[in-house]
Amino acid sequence: MADNHADALEAQRARVEHIRGYLDIEAKRQLLEDLEGRAADPTLWDDPDAAREVTTELSRVRDDLERHDTLSERLDDLEVLNELAQEMDDEDSAAEVARGLTSMARDIDRLEVATLLSGEHDASDAIVSIQAGEGGVDAMDWSEMLQRMYLRWATNRGFSAEVYDNSWGEEAGLKSTTFAVSGPDAYGLLSAEHGVHRLVRISPFDGNARRQTSFAMVDVVPLLPEVDQQVEVPDEDIRVDVYRSSGPGGQSVNTTDSAVRITHIPTGIVVSCQNEKSQHQNRAAAMRVLTAKLDELERQKRQEELDELRGGRQKVGFGSQIRSYVLHPYQMVKDLRTEHEVGNPDAVLDGSDLDEFIEAELRRRAEERARDD
């Protein structure tokens, strides 16, 4: 007799219905109709800022509805297939239902996590910066490993990524890197990665094969559309330097001085971009990164003022890592905020199992918000 997956299908149906209520799908359908009407108004673009707000919101609502509706339709199909498998005693169809349930459970997990994102800019794209910390060349190598982890994670999720700048180490790895990740809720998800990451391993750069501990700082800010950017940057507040782009080991990858480094004099924030073909394009990209970082700095100041009124809050900085990746003398990745841990670091560093750490932190934040409320 073919396996009957009716109970498992019913459990997944309950999860989809819960998400339906949480996202208020019917209200979103009404909102979609309203936004489509406004987007079709030929006078909309008379006010470009308002038009961008409408089109951005329209895209987000459509995405929420599409993700929910696609899951619901897949579940309908699996329920019909399961009934046919039982009527025909078809083991192949039953096996197909089992595979569909496994895939669907993973996608429902992702949609459930999306419901945890309630921040003002969680739906935005993200700018990720990684800076090597203590640990010398091992820390630079660790920074490159983290960059690879996040870029592979982005690819696995169907996101796009664009590297703005790599500052290569003299011997190996990256002193620093900045890249953008674009996709649904990219900032909300990657914000869970903000903080110090610690690596423990046998150093491949130590001739005596000693154990080395390395640190890297991961900084994540939302990449805001120009219409949402609140900070204006006067020309007198920045210093712009141009230089020749280079790759690992100083190998030239550009024959002109097209790379751009911008220093924000009041704050000391430095951003660079060298991936574009022209100096003009690199400057525009660097200014987008700088503005995003200044916007985030302003939000942090406002938050610190609120925290001070509430009695202060412990800040995360160097020396207080959020996660440890241990490759020797045992194998483990452990997040110190959530206590979530796994024994397969390779799968995490490959980007495959990073989601469960992100999801655990988002759930922890949601529980913390619920307690505060």
Side-chain angles (χ1 to χ4, degrees):
M1 183 69 179
D3 291 337
N4 189 346
H5 299 285
D7 290 344
L9 287 164
E10 184 178 351
Q12 298 304 327
R13 174 66 71 184
R15 295 178 69 193
V16 171
E17 288 302 313
H18 176 74
I19 292 171
R20 179 185 183 86
Y22 190 92
L23 292 179
D24 201 352
I25 292 297
E26 295 311 313
K28 273 190 166 56
R29 296 199 196 283
Q30 292 288 334
L31 178 59
L32 177 65
E33 186 176 338
D34 175 63
L35 289 169
E36 287 178 334
R38 295 168 64 186
D41 186 342
T43 65
L44 176 67
W45 285 96
D46 291 348
D47 184 346
D49 289 348
R52 279 190 289 267
E53 289 181 351
V54 169
T55 55
T56 298
E57 181 67 10
L58 178 59
S59 176
R60 291 173 182 170
V61 171
R62 277 178 174 164
D63 183 68
D64 281 345
L65 289 173
E66 182 179 350
R67 285 193 285 181
H68 169 271
D69 292 348
T70 298
L71 281 175
S72 186
E73 290 168 6
R74 285 170 58 191
L75 189 54
D76 290 342
D77 292 342
L78 288 175
E79 288 172 340
V80 171
L81 184 60
N82 186 62
E83 290 176 4
L84 290 174
Q86 296 309 300
E87 291 175 5
M88 306 296 293
D89 193 16
D90 186 345
E91 294 183 2
D92 290 340
S93 293
E96 186 177 345
V97 173
R99 291 191 296 270
L101 275 167
T102 299
S103 174
M104 189 160 194
R106 183 171 59 250
D107 291 339
I108 293 175
D109 286 343
R110 287 186 176 181
L111 190 54
E112 282 182 338
V113 168
T115 66
L116 301 175
L117 301 174
S118 58
E120 180 182 2
H121 300 298
D122 282 348
S124 301
D125 296 337
I127 295 175
V128 182
S129 300
I130 303 174
Q131 180 77 39
E134 296 178 5
V137 65
D138 279 277
M140 297 180 199
D141 190 49
W142 176 222
S143 294
E144 187 174 9
M145 291 168 65
L146 286 171
Q147 182 202 55
R148 183 169 57 248
M149 178 179 76
Y150 292 123
L151 294 180
R152 288 181 175 176
W153 172 84
T155 299
N156 291 342
R157 290 191 71 97
F159 290 178
S160 62
E162 180 182 5
V163 177
Y164 285 163
D165 180 64
N166 285 330
S167 177
W168 298 97
E170 289 80 4
E171 186 175 345
L174 289 164
K175 295 178 182 177
S176 63
T177 180
T178 299
F179 53 93
V181 177
S182 302
D185 302 318
Y187 171 69
L189 295 168
L190 285 170
S191 67
E193 294 298 292
H194 181 95
V196 179
H197 295 244
R198 171 177 175 259
L199 173 69
V200 181
R201 66 172 179 177
I202 297 296
S203 172
F205 307 102
D206 188 320
N208 295 318
R210 289 173 292 191
R211 190 169 63 182
Q212 173 72 32
T213 300
S214 309
F215 297 87
M217 178 69 187
V218 176
D219 179 61
V220 185
V221 298
L223 179 57
L224 303 180
E226 291 183 9
V227 66
D228 291 337
Q229 292 177 351
Q230 301 174 4
V231 175
E232 293 186 3
V233 186
D235 289 341
E236 59 268 23
D237 282 356
I238 62 174
R239 184 178 70 248
V240 181
D241 300 305
V242 296
Y243 58 99
R244 184 161 298 181
S245 302
S246 62
Q251 179 184 3
S252 176
V253 295
N254 203 324
T255 57
T256 62
D257 292 339
S258 61
V260 173
R261 180 185 299 110
I262 298 179
T263 303
H264 186 247
I265 298 169
T267 62
I269 293 174
V270 180
V271 298
S272 304
C273 186
Q274 61 174 317
N275 71 309
E276 304 292 352
K277 294 181 179 179
S278 74
Q279 184 183 128
H280 176 74
Q281 291 172 316
N282 280 323
R283 175 170 176 149
M287 282 300 299
R288 289 189 73 194
V289 176
L290 175 61
T291 306
K293 286 181 176 289
L294 291 174
D295 277 332
E296 181 65 17
L297 187 62
E298 287 299 312
R299 284 192 294 276
Q300 289 175 358
K301 287 180 180 177
R302 292 194 296 271
Q303 186 61 52
E304 286 171 3
E305 291 172 0
L306 291 173
D307 291 338
E308 192 66 30
L309 293 173
R310 296 183 184 122
R313 182 174 64 180
Q314 184 69 34
K315 294 178 65 176
V316 175
F318 282 98
S320 57
Q321 65 271 12
I322 64 167
R323 190 178 304 147
S324 291
Y325 306 70
V326 182
L327 306 185
H328 183 86
Y330 50 87
Q331 302 271 304
M332 182 190 72
V333 180
K334 181 175 182 177
D335 195 290
L336 280 70
R337 302 163 299 178
T338 64
E339 299 298 317
H340 182 74
E341 65 178 79
V342 299
N344 185 2
D346 288 343
V348 179
L349 293 172
D350 190 47
S352 303
D353 287 356
L354 181 60
D355 273 318
E356 56 189 82
F357 284 93
I358 291 174
E359 292 169 10
E361 169 59 11
L362 293 177
R363 293 184 191 281
R364 184 194 69 81
R365 290 181 184 177
E367 292 170 0
E368 188 176 76
R369 287 195 299 270
R371 288 196 300 270
D372 291 342
D373 293 342

